[in-house]
Amino acid sequence: QLQLQESGPGLMKPSETLSLTCTVSGGSISSGNFYWGWIRQPPGKGLEWIGSVYDRESTYYSPSLKRRVTISIDTSKNQFSLKLSSVTAADTAIYYCARHIGIGAFDYWGQGTLVTVSS
Amino acid sequence: SYVLTQPPSVSVAPGQTARITCGGNNIGTKSVHWYQQRPGQAPVLVVYDDSDRPSEIPERFSGSNSGNTATLTISRVEAGDEADYYCQVWDTSSDHPFGGGTKLTVL
């Protein structure tokens, strides 16, 4: 059974760069035509797609976050990562990592990790 | 920008049928996916590609998609179905592939 697990700091200060890692177990991150994505959910609000990575040359970002986001993949560690620069309180959210196939559904999700941005 | 519109809330009595809609321009030409999110939990895929269901999802969950509206139907609603439900569509003109979500309340 494929499992995804997010890890990273729970508390950050404004202007810092958020770094999260998603570790994939129960399957290889480089097998199959899968995309690996990040989605976030501010407290009490809906889901927001941040971006996805297919391989080292193929990344796709939400236009509204593109200037601040970098998603990378490390097949040797079976991990993919999210960097979000210049965070503000508006970036406070639960961050999920998930798998999808092209324009397909997100079929496996991590449990999510809460990131709070506060001075 | 492609916008998905869901009703904020839907209420239904146990044993009845709940229908949650997702509106979008010509959404019937796109593949729609639906997620269930119980409080404090990660979203779970319940319907993909308009009407297919993961093997672990009960047959009570079904989907349809035509014209400008996609619909998630939950038959014989149970208390455990109370959750937020999100539709999702990939569109190159949108950076918001998820609908705003619908809170299903079981009366």
Side-chain angles (χ1 to χ4, degrees):
Chain A
Q1 176 81 344
L2 194 73
Q3 292 186 319
L4 288 76
Q5 178 68 58
E6 305 88 351
S7 59
L11 181 61
M12 303 185 61
K13 296 186 184 304
S15 80
E16 292 182 336
T17 295
L18 166 66
S19 293
L20 294 175
T21 297
C22 182
T23 300
V24 179
S25 58
S28 172
I29 200 171
S30 56
S31 66
N33 292 321
F34 298 118
Y35 290 72
W36 305 91
W38 288 96
I39 301 103
R40 70 180 183 179
Q41 185 172 37
K45 296 188 177 181
L47 301 170
E48 178 184 22
W49 174 69
I50 299 170
S52 299
V53 60
Y54 180 72
D55 56 30
R56 286 193 176 86
E57 286 76 40
S58 303
T59 52
Y60 308 88
Y61 300 131
S62 166
S64 62
L65 293 170
K66 187 174 184 177
R67 287 185 304 105
R68 298 193 293 133
V69 172
T70 302
I71 296 175
S72 58
I73 191 167
D74 187 339
T75 55
S76 67
K77 296 181 178 179
N78 229 34
Q79 295 176 334
F80 62 106
S81 300
L82 167 70
K83 289 189 185 300
L84 180 66
S85 64
S86 304
V87 299
T88 69
D91 295 310
T92 293
I94 297 173
Y95 286 75
Y96 296 99
C97 59
R99 185 187 85 166
H100 64 104
I101 301 176
I103 61 170
F106 292 95
D107 57 353
Y108 287 93
W109 294 68
Q111 65 184 25
T113 187
L114 174 62
V115 176
T116 302
V117 181
S118 174
S119 56
Chain B
S1 182
Y2 193 79
V3 178
L4 297 173
T5 302
Q6 296 184 239
S9 63
V10 168
S11 298
V12 64
Q16 299 302 303
T17 297
R19 294 179 179 84
I20 298 172
T21 59
C22 178
N25 187 35
N26 288 324
I27 197 172
T29 64
K30 305 179 186 299
S31 289
V32 180
H33 318 299
W34 291 93
Y35 303 87
Q36 175 194 68
Q37 187 180 31
R38 295 190 173 104
Q41 298 185 18
V44 172
L45 178 66
V46 293
V47 168
Y48 65 97
D49 292 347
D50 298 340
S51 58
D52 290 331
R53 195 177 51 249
S55 58
E56 65 274 19
I57 301 301
E59 292 183 5
R60 301 186 297 106
F61 288 80
S62 63
S64 62
N65 186 18
S66 180
N68 294 318
T69 304
T71 303
L72 173 69
T73 301
I74 309 171
S75 304
R76 302 181 300 283
V77 166
E78 303 173 356
D81 298 330
E82 188 161 285
D84 294 327
Y85 291 85
Y86 294 89
C87 60
Q88 182 237 321
V89 169
W90 289 107
D91 187 279
T92 55
S93 70
S94 174
D95 59 351
H96 296 291
F98 292 98
T102 298
K103 181 177 180 58
L104 176 67
T105 298
V106 181
L107 300 170

